Amino acid sequence: MAEHVLRRVQIVNSPIEETFEFFSDAGNLEKITPPELEFNIITPLPIAIETGTLIDYKLYLWNIPITWRTEISEWEPPHRFVDRALRSPYKQWIHLHRFTSLEDGRTEMEDYVRYRLPIEPFGDVMHWFVRGELERIFDFRSDAVRRILEG
């Protein structure tokens, strides 16, 4: 029964307040998710984000519809927030978003995801495949964030 970790760090040419504001708007998730996932927020927008906020999504993984519900379990603007999946294809999904202001006005963004696959330990046999998909999704996300925040 393995807990897996995905960690990504990215520096964007955008001040911390602007960067955090972008991630505070749940509607922007659709802009930074690969289009083939057909990601849609079900919760009516705009969503007032704070500790305890629940957000429902629908997406397609390999053409299979998936509903996903997250709770904002920590909310500390403009430095960090944590979303935790209450319903998802994962047994565990805890995603820390950390934002650090750099001296030159840029922002370091860190994604730190702790996740577990379903049907442990059998699900871990497919970790190589799941990890590849997550890397691809986060690569897309990184490029989209840079394009949107840096113009």
Side-chain angles (χ1 to χ4, degrees), residues 1 3-4 15-16 19 26 38 43-44 48 51 56 58 62 68 77 89 103 107-108 123 132 141 144 147 149:
M1 295 192 278
E3 179 180 80
H4 305 284
I16 191 170
T19 304
E38 298 182 48
T43 304
T51 301
D56 293 311
K58 184 176 181 181
W62 313 291
W68 193 304
E103 290 180 11
T107 302
E108 179 183 273
R141 174 186 173 107
R147 187 178 64 252
L149 290 180

Side-chain angles (χ1 to χ4, degrees), residues 9-138:
V9 176
Q10 177 178 1
I11 296 175
V12 292
N13 191 19
S14 172
I16 191 170
E17 295 80 10
E18 185 179 310
T19 304
F20 192 88
E21 183 180 329
F22 176 80
F23 282 90
S24 297
D25 181 349
N28 286 329
L29 283 170
E30 294 177 5
K31 297 176 184 174
I32 62 173
T33 302
E36 65 274 12
L37 295 179
E38 298 182 48
F39 181 93
N40 287 297
I41 297 173
I42 299 169
T43 304
L45 297 173
I47 300 169
I49 306 288
E50 60 186 10
T51 301
T53 297
L54 300 176
I55 305 172
D56 293 311
Y57 320 96
K58 184 176 181 181
L59 59 114
Y60 289 84
L61 288 173
W62 313 291
N63 294 320
I64 301 168
I66 304 288
T67 56
W68 193 304
R69 170 175 270 188
T70 59
E71 174 187 33
I72 303 300
S73 58
E74 296 178 39
W75 184 252
E76 300 172 22
H79 300 288
R80 62 185 299 226
F81 69 93
V82 175
D83 62 81
R84 180 174 59 95
L86 302 179
R87 182 176 60 238
S88 80
Y90 294 89
K91 183 173 184 177
Q92 170 189 292
W93 181 272
I94 302 168
H95 184 174
L96 165 67
H97 307 255
R98 187 183 340 250
F99 304 88
T100 305
S101 183
L102 302 177
E103 290 180 11
D104 59 4
R106 298 182 302 161
T107 302
E108 179 183 273
M109 300 181 345
E110 177 185 10
D111 289 291
Y112 188 83
V113 182
R114 295 174 23 228
Y115 64 97
R116 297 172 79 121
L117 300 177
I119 317 168
E120 290 178 320
F122 306 108
D124 290 327
V125 171
M126 293 299 295
H127 182 249
W128 64 272
F129 178 75
V130 172
R131 182 57 177 233
E133 286 296 295
L134 287 174
E135 293 287 351
R136 185 183 67 75
I137 290 166
F138 274 79

